């Protein structure tokens, strides 16, 4: 089952904050976040592991609620370079099978 | 490190033709993934390999699709015969087991 992301799209002015949510119907081992710029490949941002350990990007943070099977990505003081489509990926099996969400298109304007 | 290398970057073909996409993973990575991206369906996992062995091919849409990984440094995704609905960007990604996926630049396939 594909995780569901919200919002589908958001426009921010530089310096504003945003939250992107990811929800799964399955129990999760981990949640991954990627950003994809137009015409490019997805790039890894962060992984959140069951049990609370967090790794990843220094300027963007995230949370993982295992009981609710949800994760949120927090972008603070947004920069133009934050523009792109953000995908959450969930791992619910014993292997490395990452299932990506529907995507959130974020645009930061001056 | 050169990153994940995919070829061709762009492929335009006619319906019914055979298409072969190629991928060279990052050296030392033991897992390889093939994803397909379309506007309608997003990023879909087609198949993934661990230590050159196919682990899960449940995402392969139908028998027209096949994938191989003859050694640790090369994989192919073949579509035969191709159909217009196969038009998409196909990404190859590799991982060392840390969870982080390293994607190639993708192969954009157009089937006329």
């Amino acid at each position: 089952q594909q995780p569901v992301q919200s919002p589908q799209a958001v426009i921010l002015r530089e310096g504003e904050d945003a939250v992107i949510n990811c929800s799964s119907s399955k129990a999760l081992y981990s949640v991954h976040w990627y950003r994809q710029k137009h015409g490019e490949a997805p790039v890894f941002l962060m992984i959140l592991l069951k049990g609370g350990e967090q790794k990843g990007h220094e300027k963007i943070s995230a949370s993982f609620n295992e009981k609710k099977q949800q994760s949120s990505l927090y972008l603070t003081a947004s920069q133009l370079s934050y523009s792109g489509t953000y995908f959450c990926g969930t791992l619910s099996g014993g292997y490395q099978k990452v299932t990506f969400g529907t995507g959130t298109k974020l645009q930061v304007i001056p | 490190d050169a990153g994940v290398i995919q070829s061709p970057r762009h492929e335009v073909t006619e319906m019914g033709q055979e298409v072969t996409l190629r991928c060279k993973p990052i050296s030392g990575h033991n897992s390889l993934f093939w994803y397909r991206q379309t506007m309608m369906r997003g990023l879909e996992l087609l198949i993934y390999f661990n230590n050159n062995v196919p682990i899960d091919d449940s995402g392969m849409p139908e028998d027209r699709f096949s994938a191989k990984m003859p050694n640790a440094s090369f994989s192919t995704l073949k579509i035969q015969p191709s159909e217009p609905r196969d038009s998409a960007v196909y990404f190859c990604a590799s991982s060392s087991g840390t969870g982080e996926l390293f994607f190639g630049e993708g192969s954009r396939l157009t089937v006329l």
Side-chain angles (χ1 to χ4, degrees):
Chain A
Q1 295 287 355
Q2 188 177 34
V4 177
Q5 291 182 230
S6 63
Q8 288 186 327
V10 60
I11 299 176
L12 298 175
R13 292 199 177 275
E14 272 187 293
E16 292 183 337
D17 302 340
V19 180
I20 299 173
N21 301 301
C22 174
S23 179
S24 174
S25 59
K26 290 185 174 182
L28 303 175
Y29 288 105
S30 63
V31 178
H32 309 222
W33 286 97
Y34 287 77
R35 178 173 62 208
Q36 184 179 30
K37 294 186 179 286
H38 183 68
E40 299 181 5
V43 175
F44 174 82
L45 292 176
M46 176 172 309
I47 183 170
L48 299 103
L49 306 176
K50 189 175 182 180
E53 184 179 357
Q54 177 177 330
K55 306 176 186 177
H57 204 282
E58 60 181 13
K59 294 188 177 182
I60 299 173
S61 62
S63 64
F64 178 23
N65 188 320
E66 299 161 27
K67 289 185 178 179
K68 292 186 177 180
Q69 297 159 194
Q70 295 175 343
S71 177
S72 294
L73 186 71
Y74 305 95
L75 300 99
T76 56
S78 59
Q79 306 168 16
L80 295 175
S81 62
Y82 285 8
S83 295
T85 300
Y86 289 77
F87 292 96
C88 69
T90 56
L91 186 67
S92 55
Y95 295 105
Q96 298 182 58
K97 184 176 179 177
V98 177
T99 302
F100 283 97
T102 48
T104 296
K105 187 171 183 180
L106 185 142
Q107 183 180 2
V108 182
I109 58 176
Chain B
D1 200 325
V4 176
I5 299 173
Q6 292 186 243
S7 65
R9 292 292 312 280
H10 302 275
E11 175 90 6
V12 180
T13 190
E14 293 187 348
M15 183 173 64
Q17 296 298 306
E18 177 181 302
V19 174
T20 299
L21 307 179
R22 299 172 178 80
C23 176
K24 176 179 169 58
I26 292 173
S27 177
H29 283 191
N30 61 352
S31 296
L32 183 140
F33 306 78
W34 283 100
Y35 282 89
R36 178 173 67 176
Q37 187 174 37
T38 61
M39 288 294 294
M40 292 297 295
R41 302 174 70 93
L43 269 168
E44 300 175 273
L45 177 63
L46 300 178
I47 185 171
Y48 77 97
F49 298 83
N50 187 253
N51 293 324
N52 311 338
V53 176
I55 302 299
D56 188 333
D57 66 354
S58 59
M60 296 286 261
E62 46 196 277
D63 292 344
R64 298 185 297 107
F65 286 69
S66 62
K68 294 182 180 179
M69 191 166 186
N71 56 62
S73 59
F74 184 66
S75 178
T76 59
L77 178 68
K78 184 177 292 186
I79 309 172
Q80 180 185 21
S82 58
E83 296 183 2
R85 59 187 168 134
D86 301 331
S87 298
V89 180
Y90 291 82
F91 286 105
C92 175
S94 69
S95 173
S96 62
T98 62
E100 180 177 355
L101 298 178
F102 292 82
F103 284 83
E105 295 187 337
S107 294
R108 180 175 293 277
L109 174 65
T110 302
V111 183
L112 303 174

